[in-house]
Amino acid sequence: MNLEARPSHLSPVHVDSEPAVAACARPTLLCLSHLRWGFVYQRPQHVMTHLAKDYDVLFFEEPLFAEGAACTLEVATPAAGITLLVPHLPWGLSQSQVDAAQRRLLDDYLTGHAAAELLLWYLTPMSLTFTDHLHAKVTIFDCMDELSAFKGAPPDLLQREQKLMARANVVFTGGYSLWEAKSRQHGNAHSLPSSVDIAHFAAARQTLPEPADQAGIAHPRLGFFGVIDERFDIALVDELAARRPDWQLILIGPVVKIDAASLPRRPNIHYLGPKGYPQLPDYLSGWDVALMPFAINESTRFISPTKTPEYLAGGCPVVSTPVRDVVRGYGDSGVVTIAASAEAFIAAVEAALEAKTEDGFLQRIDQVLEGMSWETTCAAMKEQIECLR
């Protein structure tokens, strides 16, 4: 799973001292995550930040391992109402020892800091191994992806997911296709796709100062931001760049679970690396077309990319491979074009470049995004939780 480098802004805190007495009036929402808070700002960060208005959120990440490390829990506050908990463990522990250490660290922390009412929010069923003893008023499974289809997925993930499904009071899915699959396994499943912070990305509709590493790149610019992993269609990107050397492809994001040496290298392909969430509109403002070159395979069968509405909110037309939820949600929108081959992708980009100059293009985008917001998504989630409390 995701074991990225330790966030630099955190500092270790030992929790084997005498716990303080908790005096929390609000429920504690314990989010168990396979994604790190400081990695890519996406659904977990948006949702937890909104829910922190009503609950005291604990965001518990997967362990970081180091030679000779003591079993400690790192504690930080990355956002208002959010407490980030990162276990530090020594190398060489068996899986049962890792689970026992996480259980002990978490129990010690909850003894001193949790409210009387505990809500459990699972982003991964693998966390069940060290939390199955906790008594929660409500247990939520936010199934944002089909994790079993991802590269490097634990072999027992599906078995753990079945156990979590049996325990969960409510299941949220990151898209409609995923809901179709999970609703057959749980009677209280709801499709709540990832949404968009329209105000944040709408800044890209204005001319913003060019980031230094993008300023010297010629137009037209075709851009992508997100994680570059096994879901990325490397061959498509390579062929697109080869057949249209006059187009500049700008790729922003970390390379994860694939060898960076396998990525295509051409003069018109620009890898700018990971960027912070606040910086994304600055880059998007300078793009002519936004790309979603996802491979069509098992790892993308159920995805519902957050970047679709983010690109659109920035006023940028989108060209995507035929991801099921993108076709279902945006295929007839007139602002997202679906293309299944390199030849079709080139034609779609050409059409998108023309469409962006047409009168009424931004109005069509606004119609597509109408009513879409993280506030709406999180309010629906909270309503389900409150009905179960």
Side-chain angles (χ1 to χ4, degrees):
M1 305 303 280
N2 183 12
L3 293 176
E4 294 298 315
R6 172 184 178 274
S8 60
H9 64 283
L10 307 182
S11 57
V13 174
H14 295 263
V15 296
D16 53 359
S17 57
E18 191 68 26
V21 177
C24 305
R26 305 194 306 171
T28 294
L29 191 158
L30 173 59
C31 178
L32 299 142
S33 178
H34 61 293
L35 299 170
R36 300 206 179 279
W37 186 273
F39 185 46
V40 175
Y41 201 92
Q42 51 188 312
R43 180 185 179 101
Q45 292 89 339
H46 282 292
V47 171
M48 291 301 126
T49 299
H50 279 86
L51 293 182
K53 298 171 185 176
D54 300 290
Y55 312 114
D56 289 328
V57 174
L58 305 178
F59 193 88
F60 193 92
E61 293 185 351
E62 289 187 333
L64 290 171
F65 297 91
E67 190 70 35
C71 293
T72 59
L73 192 65
E74 198 169 344
V75 181
T77 306
I82 309 287
T83 300
L84 180 60
L85 305 175
V86 186
H88 285 250
L89 304 178
W91 284 111
L93 298 181
S94 66
Q95 187 57 54
S96 62
Q97 289 173 320
V98 170
D99 292 339
Q102 290 183 93
R103 182 185 298 245
R104 184 174 64 254
L105 290 171
L106 182 55
D107 285 353
D108 286 348
Y109 188 87
L110 291 177
T111 298
H113 298 84
E117 187 176 353
L118 178 66
L119 313 175
L120 288 177
W121 184 291
Y122 288 89
L123 291 172
T124 169
M126 301 307 293
S127 300
L128 198 60
T129 58
F130 59 91
T131 58
D132 57 359
H133 64 296
L134 296 177
H135 299 287
K137 188 67 176 292
V138 183
T139 297
I140 305 106
F141 179 22
D142 187 13
C143 186
M144 56 185 285
D145 289 301
E146 183 56 82
L147 296 178
S148 63
F150 283 18
K151 187 176 182 179
D156 57 343
L157 191 147
L158 283 176
Q159 180 184 1
R160 300 284 173 84
E161 183 176 289
Q162 290 174 357
K163 292 182 178 179
L164 180 55
M165 283 285 192
R167 280 175 165 263
N169 302 110
V170 62
V171 175
F172 303 136
T173 66
Y176 190 81
S177 296
L178 196 53
W179 173 82
E180 288 181 317
K182 301 307 176 185
S183 62
R184 293 192 289 268
Q185 304 171 41
H186 198 284
N188 192 26
H190 304 268
S191 174
L192 290 169
S194 294
S195 194
V196 59
D197 182 346
I198 291 178
H200 179 70
F201 286 97
R205 298 188 182 192
Q206 311 302 318
T207 301
L208 300 177
E210 283 270 29
D213 56 353
Q214 182 171 278
I217 299 175
H219 289 266
R221 296 173 180 165
L222 319 180
F224 168 90
F225 57 65
V227 178
I228 300 173
D229 57 14
E230 76 271 22
R231 297 170 295 176
F232 201 70
D233 193 332
I234 294 172
L236 173 61
V237 170
D238 189 36
E239 187 172 356
L240 184 61
R243 293 177 61 173
R244 293 302 303 259
D246 55 319
W247 291 352
Q248 305 301 312
L249 278 65
I250 297 173
L251 306 177
I252 290 174
V255 179
V256 177
K257 295 189 290 183
I258 61 172
D259 184 358
S262 69
L263 297 174
R265 304 287 171 173
R266 296 184 182 275
N268 60 331
I269 302 179
H270 310 272
Y271 297 97
L272 303 188
K275 305 298 175 184
Y277 183 74
Q279 298 173 278
L280 295 181
D282 297 334
Y283 287 90
L284 181 57
S285 174
W287 296 354
D288 300 294
V289 176
L291 304 180
M292 296 204 302
F294 289 109
I296 303 303
N297 55 33
E298 280 301 305
S299 67
T300 60
R301 182 180 175 189
F302 298 109
I303 64 171
S304 184
T306 307
K307 58 183 57 60
T308 315
E310 291 176 344
Y311 290 155
L312 292 176
C316 206
V318 179
V319 177
S320 175
T321 50
V323 174
R324 289 172 63 185
D325 277 8
V326 176
V327 174
R328 189 195 306 265
Y330 301 92
D332 297 325
S333 66
V335 292
V336 176
T337 307
I338 308 298
S341 66
E343 185 176 53
F345 224 82
I346 291 170
V349 170
E350 291 173 339
L353 289 169
E354 288 291 328
K356 191 175 183 179
T357 64
E358 295 174 359
D359 292 338
F361 180 75
L362 291 178
Q363 286 77 10
R364 293 203 300 274
I365 285 181
D366 291 339
Q367 290 173 358
V368 171
L369 298 178
E370 187 175 0
M372 189 179 296
S373 71
W374 281 112
E375 288 80 3
T376 301
T377 299
C378 293
M381 290 174 165
K382 184 189 171 189
E383 181 179 4
Q384 291 296 326
I385 295 169
E386 292 302 305
C387 286
L388 294 164
R389 285 181 61 196

